[in-house]
Amino acid sequence: MSDILGIFSILFLPLLITLIILYGIIKKAPVYDIFIDGAKDGLKTCIDILPFIIGIFIAIEALTTSGAMDFIQKLSRPLFDFLGIPEELISLILLRPVSGSGSLVVAEKIMQEVGPDSFAGRAASVMVGSCETIFYVLALYFSVTSVKKMRHAFAAGLAGYIAGIFASVYICRFI
């Protein structure tokens, strides 16, 4: 069975691309022209979102190198203690809404320090898998769409993020 899955995983993408091209040929669509138009649109989208991505990465770097993240962590430690959230998770909780890749690095650090089977390691794993990078998603979404007013998007994203944090911490207490 694992041999079949291995072969399927190796052939999946080439087969999918072949099927798409064959479908286009059968429908008599200009497949190559459509591909070129899509590539142009993709490059234009990359250029449109690049300033927002650079801004997010500069902000993260400024927070961590200036010591502001450590200060915020120390300042918020009593609140997290009151809520029953381990202090190892504070930096992950603060960084996850901003950067997915940055929070993966923090989650790896947590697992190296306390172990993946520890409470903090399990909660960090669930957070990384279930909590969204709110600011990153909003920056990308509002930079490439014609929608310019965030209205309730930020509040809804933040509410979902907070719910995800509490769910991951309290569910991991029982597993």
Side-chain angles (χ1 to χ4, degrees):
M1 182 66 172
S2 66
D3 291 338
I4 294 171
L5 289 176
I7 292 170
F8 179 74
S9 67
I10 290 170
L11 295 177
F12 180 74
L13 225 55
L15 286 174
L16 182 65
I17 292 169
T18 304
L19 285 173
I20 291 170
I21 292 171
L22 287 174
Y23 181 78
I25 291 170
I26 290 169
K27 290 291 187 176
K28 297 185 176 155
V31 176
Y32 184 74
D33 294 337
I34 293 171
F35 172 78
I36 296 299
D37 290 342
K40 285 179 186 176
D41 288 345
L43 286 173
K44 191 170 77 170
T45 300
C46 287
I47 290 169
D48 289 346
I49 66 174
L50 189 62
F52 295 95
I53 292 173
I54 290 171
I56 287 172
F57 284 123
I58 289 172
I60 291 168
E61 190 64 28
L63 274 175
T64 53
T65 57
S66 70
M69 184 65 87
D70 292 333
F71 177 73
I72 293 169
Q73 211 171 331
K74 288 177 184 172
L75 194 65
S76 61
R77 187 170 289 139
L79 173 66
F80 285 100
D81 285 342
F82 175 75
L83 296 172
I85 299 173
E87 74 176 77
E88 295 90 2
L89 297 176
I90 296 173
S91 57
L92 178 63
I93 292 169
L94 296 175
L95 187 59
R96 183 69 185 164
V98 181
S99 169
S101 57
S103 63
L104 282 174
V105 171
V106 172
E108 180 185 7
K109 181 180 152 198
I110 290 169
M111 289 178 216
Q112 286 176 349
E113 289 176 1
V114 298
D117 292 331
S118 66
F119 169 60
R122 289 189 319 269
S125 297
V126 174
M127 278 182 213
V128 167
S130 62
C131 294
E132 188 57 77
T133 52
I134 305 165
F135 297 107
Y136 181 78
V137 169
L138 290 177
L140 287 180
Y141 176 75
F142 287 104
S143 69
V144 296
T145 64
S146 61
V147 178
K148 297 300 172 197
K149 293 184 181 180
M150 283 193 194
R151 289 214 216 171
H152 306 294
F154 176 71
L158 190 60
Y161 179 73
I162 292 169
I165 294 296
F166 282 111
S168 52
V169 168
Y170 294 114
I171 288 171
C172 285
R173 285 206 189 278
F174 300 108
I175 54 173

